[in-house]
Amino acid sequence: MSYEKQTWEIGELITSTKLNHIERGVKSMNGDYDEQTWVDGEVIVANKLNHIEDGIEEASSVTDILADLIDGSITSIDIPEGVTEIDDYAFYGLRNLATVHIPDGVTKIGDYAFYYDDSLTSINIPDSVSEIGVNTFYKCRFRSIELPDNMTKIGARAFEGSSLESCKIPYGITEISSSLFQGCTRLISVHFPSSITSMATVVFQGCSSLASITIEAVTPPTISANTFGNAPADCAIFVPAESVDAYKTASRWSDRAAYIQAIPS
C-alpha cells in the first residue's frame, strides 16, 4: 500500500512506525532529499520535511499518524513510547513549549533538539539516556535538571544561556565540554563527580551568580586558562580534604587557591 501527496505542517511530529522508506520527492526547507530511511520508531520532525510528493512505502500497517501538530503555539509534548532517539533539531525554536515528557527507552537527545525553547520549564531525562548533544537546551528556562547516572556524554554548550540554578553532573561523565554552562546567569552551584578528568574552555563564562562548585575527583582535573572565564573570582571550590593542597598547586587551579577548601563533612 502506498500514499501520495502527503503533507505536514512545519514542526509536525511524525514517527517512523508509520514511515519506513521515502523513495523520492522529499522537499525540505534545507534542500531536496532522496532515499531517506529511518529506524522504526525514530522521531522525524517536519522542520526537515515540508512536502512528500509520492512513493511512501510502509513498514507495517498504517493506522493514524502518531503525531502532535507542532505549529509553534503548542505548550506540551508527550513523546510516544518506542522512540529511541530524539533527532537533531527535533523541537528547535518552539518558543511556547513549556513541558516535555520523554519516555524510558530514549538513549540520545540530539544536537539543538530543544534549542531556543525559551518557555521550557519542565523536562524529564529518563535513565535510558546516555547522551545529550551540542546546544541541546540553549536558552531553556528550567531551573534544575536531573541527569541519569549512566550518562556518558554531554555536548558542548548543552545548557548555554539556560536558567539552570544548580546542576549535578553524573558519574559516567569524564570530560566537561566547552561552554557547557556559558551564559547561565542564574547558576549558583555545580557538583562534579570523581570521574571528571578534564574541563574545556569557558565552561563558566558569564555565570555571574556562581557561588560554588564541588569536585569529588581526588586528582585535579585538567583545566584550560579560561575554563572559569569571567565567573566570580570568589567562587568557592570544594574538593576532597586529602586533595586540597594538590588543587591549590595544580596548574591553573592555583589561580583560585584562596577559595579552594575541603568538601564539608
Side-chain angles (χ1 to χ4, degrees):
M1 183 175 182
S2 62
Y3 288 77
E4 296 183 354
K5 299 295 183 182
Q6 300 297 304
T7 61
W8 291 275
E9 298 293 329
I10 297 302
E12 182 177 355
L13 180 64
I14 307 164
T15 62
S16 58
T17 51
K18 311 303 184 231
L19 305 177
N20 184 47
H21 196 114
I22 299 173
E23 292 286 353
R24 61 187 182 278
V26 179
K27 296 180 179 179
S28 83
M29 297 174 67
N30 300 315
D32 293 333
Y33 290 81
D34 291 320
E35 300 292 337
Q36 298 298 301
T37 60
W38 291 273
V39 175
D40 189 41
E42 182 180 354
V43 171
I44 307 163
V45 176
N47 58 9
K48 296 183 179 179
L49 306 179
N50 186 42
H51 195 110
I52 298 176
E53 293 286 353
D54 54 15
I56 298 174
E57 296 180 355
E58 58 177 335
S60 58
S61 62
V62 176
T63 57
D64 56 334
I65 291 178
L66 183 59
D68 283 314
L69 182 62
I70 304 170
D71 62 2
S73 64
I74 193 167
T75 60
S76 178
I77 292 174
D78 191 349
I79 295 172
E81 297 287 339
V83 171
T84 58
E85 291 189 5
I86 298 175
D87 202 6
D88 296 348
Y89 298 92
F91 304 106
Y92 181 106
L94 299 182
R95 302 193 65 182
N96 293 301
L97 183 63
T99 62
V100 173
H101 177 264
I102 301 175
D104 195 44
V106 171
T107 60
K108 178 183 177 181
I109 304 175
D111 298 346
Y112 302 90
F114 296 96
Y115 184 95
Y116 224 123
D117 294 355
D118 57 354
S119 295
L120 184 58
T121 57
S122 176
I123 188 170
N124 70 298
I125 309 295
D127 290 342
S128 55
V129 173
S130 61
E131 181 177 345
I132 291 175
V134 172
N135 246 328
T136 298
F137 296 112
Y138 176 78
K139 289 288 186 179
C140 290
R141 287 293 172 254
F142 47 75
R143 297 192 177 189
S144 63
I145 191 167
E146 187 170 346
L147 303 175
D149 290 337
N150 69 333
M151 185 167 288
T152 58
K153 183 178 180 180
I154 303 175
R157 305 182 301 281
F159 301 113
E160 182 181 359
S162 74
S163 294
L164 273 176
E165 294 180 353
S166 64
C167 187
K168 184 175 182 180
I169 301 296
Y171 181 78
I173 301 297
T174 59
E175 299 177 352
I176 300 302
S177 299
S178 62
S179 303
L180 184 60
F181 300 111
Q182 183 170 349
C184 294
T185 58
R186 294 176 179 266
L187 187 66
I188 297 171
S189 64
V190 183
H191 187 282
F192 296 101
S194 59
S195 55
I196 294 298
T197 61
S198 66
M199 296 184 184
T201 59
V202 291
V203 173
F204 301 110
Q205 175 73 21
C207 296
S208 55
S209 300
L210 189 65
S212 70
I213 66 171
T214 299
I215 310 171
E216 294 185 1
V218 172
T219 301
T222 301
I223 61 174
S224 75
N226 60 351
T227 292
F228 284 90
N230 61 356
D234 59 354
C235 171
I237 300 171
F238 296 104
V239 303
E242 66 271 27
S243 301
V244 170
D245 289 341
Y247 274 83
K248 285 186 174 183
T249 57
S251 176
R252 294 168 178 150
W253 289 104
S254 60
D255 296 341
R256 292 177 173 259
Y259 300 100
I260 296 173
Q261 54 196 289
I263 297 171
S265 56

